[in-house]
Structures are given as structure tokens and as C-alpha cells.
Amino acid sequence: RLSPRLSPSAMPLDGLGADTDLPEPTLALPAEVATSVKGFSMIAKFNLRCEVDLRQVTFRVRHAEFNPRKHSSVTIRLIEPRVTALVRASGSCTVAGTVDEDALKLSAKKVVRLIQLSGHEEVRFCGYKVVCMMAKASMGFPIRLDQLAAKWRRNALYEPEVYCGCVFKTMRPRVTYLLTAGGKVMVSGLTNMKDINEAVKRIHPILSEFRS
């Protein structure tokens, strides 16, 4: 589970066509790196347009969990596709899991139906929007994270005493890269694979400079 400071932002995201924080790449992304870029989770949000009795949902929906001492939302886990939904008392919902956008939207509608059957017939499915897609890639070489953080101190956060990875953020577009010394990269903050591939293409020459 990611810490709050590593979690992707749910704010509207800038497109990759605008001015960016990273220089324009001059070389094509190596084939072995391009084939390693894979999405593994998608996050969407929607609203039920009414308040929800979380305890009632917990008692009437299978695979629903609610522990108010830990967090103020009900967790509903669907088996097929494997999706996790967070339902808040205000009616705000978040679903995360499959990278198939159609399957994720269908799962969100299943969650709405489950809440309707729990005694909330007035709930509606409104404002559905994909807010983030998470992907991973392998650079194929180890990275000197300390040297990277020293040169890119405005973008990079590296505190090895706290966490072994380096968090590299850009504002244009709003992307977060989680880098490991072994050359693994996790990308979050964008909503489709086209933009994610472009983001990996932009970060690759920078990381190549610090290969060890």
C-alpha cells in the first residue's frame, strides 16, 4: 500500500502535449523497455447522489468490510473482475483494479446495484470518471538514485533512511515516478497507456545518465 505522499493525485491532469518539465527525448525507447511497460491498476470515481448508511451496507452485502476505527468508508471486494470499491457515507465512491476500462465501469455499476439491494433504492450512478492509471516498467539497468536526486533535487525525493525508492515528480504533466535502484519504475497520475508510454520515453534518457 502506498503512503499518502506517494499516492496519485485525483486532480485534473495536464496533457503530454503541453510544455513539460523533462526535455524532449531524441532517441527512440529501446524495444526491451517499451515491451516492459504494463498497466496493472486503474482508479475511477463516481457518486451515488445520496447519503449511505455504511453499517447497513456492511450487514447486507457480502464481501463488505467496515472498521470505523481505521477509516470512514466501506470496502467492497468483487471477485470477477477483481476490483475493490470504497464507499463513503457522503455517497462518494472509488473503484480500483482491472485495467480494462469497460470492465471497471461495469464493476462500478455492480457496486451501485449492491448498495441499492442493501436498502438504498434511491442511489444513482453519476459522475463516473477514470482519474488514474498505474503502470510499471523495467529500465534494464541499475540506477544511482543518490546522484539522480542530487542533480534533479527540484523533482526527486530520496530519503534512504525512510524509504529505499526515489520519488520523482513532474508538474507538466502531473506524473509521479517511483524508482528503485534495480531499475524498476512505477508510473502514476495519467489515465491511458499512450500517455504512460510517452512519460516512460521522457524519463528513460534521464535515468540512463545515472546507470551504474
Side-chain angles (χ1 to χ4, degrees):
R1 183 178 179 181
L2 292 177
S3 66
R5 72 188 302 181
L6 301 185
S7 298
S9 171
M11 296 174 61
L13 305 174
D14 299 326
L16 284 172
D19 293 337
T20 63
D21 292 353
L22 304 181
E24 189 74 27
T26 57
L27 299 175
L29 192 65
E32 62 273 14
V33 177
T35 56
S36 73
V37 182
K38 299 183 185 299
F40 67 88
S41 182
M42 185 179 288
I43 303 172
K45 64 179 182 180
F46 60 95
N47 199 285
L48 301 176
R49 297 292 293 275
C50 72
E51 293 187 353
V52 179
D53 185 336
L54 299 184
R55 293 187 183 276
Q56 184 175 333
V57 172
T58 306
F59 291 141
R60 297 192 180 186
V61 176
R62 291 184 61 189
H63 309 297
E65 306 169 8
F66 179 47
N67 187 343
R69 294 182 179 180
K70 290 186 176 181
H71 52 81
S72 58
S73 59
V74 169
T75 302
I76 300 177
R77 304 183 193 277
L78 303 183
I79 306 301
E80 185 59 41
R82 191 172 294 276
V83 169
T84 300
L86 295 179
V87 182
R88 298 168 184 83
S90 63
S92 174
C93 300
T94 303
V95 287
T98 176
V99 294
D100 185 328
E101 189 169 350
D102 293 334
L104 188 66
K105 188 172 185 177
L106 179 61
S107 299
K109 292 181 178 179
K110 287 182 179 179
V111 171
V112 173
R113 184 55 180 159
L114 289 173
I115 297 174
Q116 286 177 337
L117 295 175
S118 73
H120 299 80
E121 298 180 359
E122 68 277 15
V123 303
R124 295 293 181 267
F125 181 64
C126 301
Y128 178 86
K129 180 182 179 181
V130 175
V131 295
C132 180
M133 185 173 185
M134 304 179 74
K136 56 186 177 181
S138 176
M139 297 295 104
F141 53 80
I143 305 169
R144 293 297 302 269
L145 298 181
D146 52 342
Q147 295 180 6
L148 171 69
K151 181 173 180 179
W152 292 84
R153 62 186 64 184
R154 175 175 292 184
N155 302 83
L157 174 63
Y158 180 52
E159 298 176 346
E161 303 86 359
V162 178
Y163 182 70
C164 61
C166 175
V167 182
F168 193 99
K169 294 185 178 182
T170 61
M171 296 301 294
R172 302 186 308 272
R174 192 181 297 274
V175 182
T176 299
Y177 303 88
L178 180 58
L179 314 171
T180 69
K184 305 298 182 182
V185 179
M186 189 177 76
V187 184
S188 63
L190 297 171
T191 59
N192 60 74
M193 286 303 299
K194 179 181 178 181
D195 288 349
I196 288 173
N197 283 315
E198 179 66 22
V200 173
K201 184 178 179 181
R202 287 182 178 276
I203 196 73
H204 181 264
I206 293 173
L207 301 182
S208 297
E209 182 181 346
F210 301 98
R211 64 191 303 169
S212 60

